[in-house]
Amino acid sequence: MKLWEHPRLTGALCAAAVLACAAMPAAFLAVTDAAYIGRVVPVADPYTAPTPAADDYYILRQLAARRQDSAELPRAEEPTAPGTPKMYIGASASLESMNYADAATADAAEQALQRLADCGVLPGVWAAQQDTAAEEDSYTDYDGRWYDLSAAFCATDSLGFVTVRRYTLQGDMLLTRSSVTMDSRTGAVVEVWLSLPAGDAEALPLPDETALRAFAAQAGLESLGDWAVPADSAYRCALCSENGQALITASTHPYTYGSYTGTAGDRWYYSLSLRKM
């Protein structure tokens, strides 16, 4: 019999051959699976999740670089933290060497304070009073330069940390009433310092562990996974991470200030910080 004389039969045989070829891989896999089902094969090196470390987090690398003292670095040695400048230049700490903050920078600092108050890590009453300077508040320094104290002032260090401050006059004394330091790239807050007259301040309790964890979360550090109250710590309110070698502290206390004219006054401060151990 010649197949070409029977086209239908030829087509059927070809189709059967194609189907058989197509079924072979599935049949092979089915036989292989059946052979391995129920077999337990030990793994020589079981997978374990990597432990987070400080160098895995941008903000912790920034804080490590900020803490480095350039005088301690050998001249021929590169700084260890990635992207660290060879010389760290800190932000100015005095009103005379700061600049007026633009609206966006001032708003960013106020919003950061409000977010921290909302999560319970800052006293809400304290945070709300930091932008309430009277419009007529002003200061003239020894060189005759005039400053509008209803405005915010800012300075930026060589790593890009922006410090936004507001000042006030109490009697003849110029005082810092708020200072917020943020990373300019991520917006993470690393330091807050608030001050109020003793008569206006409330001696509120320090934040609990949940609130301090929220402070770690705003910096993107919740995934370090080992935040805990440090043992034998000098800080009454703190959390630390051994994985990240990071420490969060909060404190509040009354203090007395004095001026060159001999006048004095009482205030309360509230401090919050994230730093490398």
Side-chain angles (χ1 to χ4, degrees):
M1 182 179 65
K2 297 178 180 179
L3 292 177
W4 61 269
E5 294 178 346
H6 302 277
R8 293 184 178 179
L9 178 59
T10 301
L13 291 173
C14 291
V18 171
L19 291 174
C21 292
M24 287 180 65
F28 173 78
L29 293 175
V31 172
T32 303
D33 290 345
Y36 278 95
I37 287 177
R39 291 181 59 185
V40 177
V41 180
V43 178
D45 297 311
Y47 172 79
T48 56
T51 301
D55 284 347
D56 297 330
Y57 296 85
Y58 167 79
I59 192 64
L60 293 182
R61 295 197 302 270
Q62 286 282 87
L63 289 173
R66 189 177 184 223
R67 191 183 64 175
Q68 278 183 326
D69 183 356
S70 59
E72 297 176 357
L73 292 173
R75 292 183 180 273
E77 182 180 341
E78 291 293 329
T80 55
T84 304
K86 292 185 178 181
M87 178 180 293
Y88 169 65
I89 302 173
S92 302
S94 65
L95 172 62
E96 289 81 3
S97 55
M98 300 183 85
N99 299 312
Y100 282 100
D102 59 29
T105 303
D107 288 346
E110 291 175 16
Q111 290 168 12
L113 286 176
Q114 187 57 56
R115 287 193 299 271
L116 294 177
D118 290 343
C119 69
V121 77
L122 287 184
V125 174
W126 285 49
Q129 293 192 42
Q130 295 311 312
D131 60 351
T132 56
E135 291 296 328
E136 64 273 13
D137 282 355
S138 63
Y139 172 72
T140 302
D141 66 14
Y142 292 111
D143 296 324
R145 287 176 294 188
W146 180 88
Y147 299 90
D148 178 8
L149 297 187
S150 66
F153 298 82
C154 70
T156 305
D157 68 12
S158 59
L159 288 169
F161 284 103
V162 179
T163 297
V164 181
R165 289 184 176 174
R166 289 184 179 273
Y167 294 88
T168 189
L169 283 174
Q170 190 158 341
D172 58 359
M173 190 72 176
L174 179 70
L175 301 169
T176 301
R177 60 193 177 99
S178 71
S179 178
V180 184
T181 300
M182 304 173 290
D183 175 63
S184 59
R185 179 177 174 184
T186 63
V189 177
V190 297
E191 290 178 359
V192 175
W193 197 87
L194 305 177
S195 173
L196 287 176
D200 298 335
E202 296 182 29
L204 300 176
L206 289 168
D208 58 17
E209 185 174 340
T210 300
L212 292 182
R213 287 180 181 275
F215 185 55
Q218 66 85 34
L221 299 177
E222 68 275 23
S223 57
L224 280 168
D226 68 337
W227 288 105
V229 176
D232 303 323
S233 173
Y235 300 99
R236 201 159 55 89
C237 180
L239 281 185
C240 71
S241 166
E242 292 295 334
N243 290 339
Q245 286 295 292
L247 177 68
I248 292 172
T249 61
S251 62
T252 184
H253 206 271
Y255 68 98
T256 300
Y257 69 89
S259 71
Y260 65 92
T261 62
T263 60
D266 296 320
R267 294 178 71 88
W268 276 76
Y269 78 82
Y270 186 95
S271 176
L272 176 69
S273 72
L274 164 67
R275 59 184 181 272
K276 285 284 290 174
M277 290 195 293

